[in-house]
């Protein structure tokens, strides 16, 4: 963990520049020092069917979620959330100036017991670092 999800309307697929956003998000999360690099993942979920507001304009939205493992202090979670949303707003600022665009973000802490994973990528970074 953490896992960053971006649910995006299909009508901004090119302009959203998600690979660029994901590179920034992954680096920012790694730079916090509170998440293991081998667990950081970002992904897009493209929505081909949606309606926003009255449906009368070419509206678009991006809803982002960061899911993290349990156990981090509220202050750290809040700092990460604010940092990521600022990064997201900066990334989408030009697109927002050109079109109707809604941005939203939530940070979710996963259940400490009902959360299962297996990952051999962590071993790679133990030998490199």
């Amino acid at each position: 963990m953490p896992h960053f999800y971006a649910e995006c309307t299909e009508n901004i697929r090119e302009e959203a520049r998600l690979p660029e956003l994901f590179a920034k998000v992954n680096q920012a999360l790694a730079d916090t020092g509170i998440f293991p690099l081998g667990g950081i993942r970002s992904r897009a979920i493209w929505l081909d069917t949606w309606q926003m507001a009255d449906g009368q304009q070419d509206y678009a939205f991006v809803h982002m979620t960061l899911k993290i493992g349990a156990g981090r202090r509220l202050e750290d979670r809040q700092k990460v959330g604010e940092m990521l949303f600022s990064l997201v707003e900066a990334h989408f600022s030009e697109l927002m100036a050109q079109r109707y665009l809604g941005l939203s973000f939530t940070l979710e802490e996963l259940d400490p017991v009902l959360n299962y994973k297996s990952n051999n990528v962590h071993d790679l970074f133990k030998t490199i670092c």
Side-chain angles (χ1 to χ4, degrees):
M1 289 303 201
H3 291 203
F4 182 80
Y5 299 78
E7 293 176 63
C8 303
T9 56
E10 181 67 39
N11 59 342
I12 57 168
R13 185 180 280 265
E14 297 302 318
E15 300 92 337
R17 303 180 343 266
L18 290 188
E20 181 183 324
L21 174 63
F22 292 164
K24 293 178 205 175
V25 165
N26 284 25
Q27 187 62 56
L29 290 170
D31 289 348
T32 67
I34 62 174
F35 301 109
L37 183 59
I40 299 172
R41 294 173 178 76
S42 292
R43 67 196 78 151
I45 302 166
W46 291 104
L47 306 171
D48 64 1
T49 306
W50 74 94
Q51 181 164 334
M52 184 175 173
D54 61 5
Q56 299 302 307
Q57 301 291 326
D58 186 29
Y59 303 118
F61 69 83
V62 182
H63 174 69
M64 292 141 291
T65 304
L66 180 68
K67 294 185 180 186
I68 65 171
R72 291 169 181 90
R73 298 175 329 137
L74 174 60
E75 295 82 11
D76 291 335
R77 295 189 318 257
Q78 187 172 5
K79 185 184 288 187
V80 167
E82 290 170 359
M83 176 269 299
L84 276 186
F85 195 63
S86 291
L87 185 154
V88 163
E89 286 183 305
H91 178 82
F92 286 106
S93 63
E94 288 181 31
L95 185 56
M96 188 170 267
Q98 298 169 8
R99 64 170 306 127
Y100 294 112
L101 176 64
L103 299 175
S104 57
F105 172 74
T106 187
L107 191 151
E108 298 177 7
E109 185 177 45
L110 299 176
D111 187 283
V113 176
L114 301 174
N115 181 11
Y116 309 92
K117 45 185 143 341
S118 178
N119 180 347
N120 66 1
V121 178
H122 291 291
D123 295 337
L124 170 67
F125 292 101
K126 286 179 186 173
T127 61
I128 291 176
C129 297

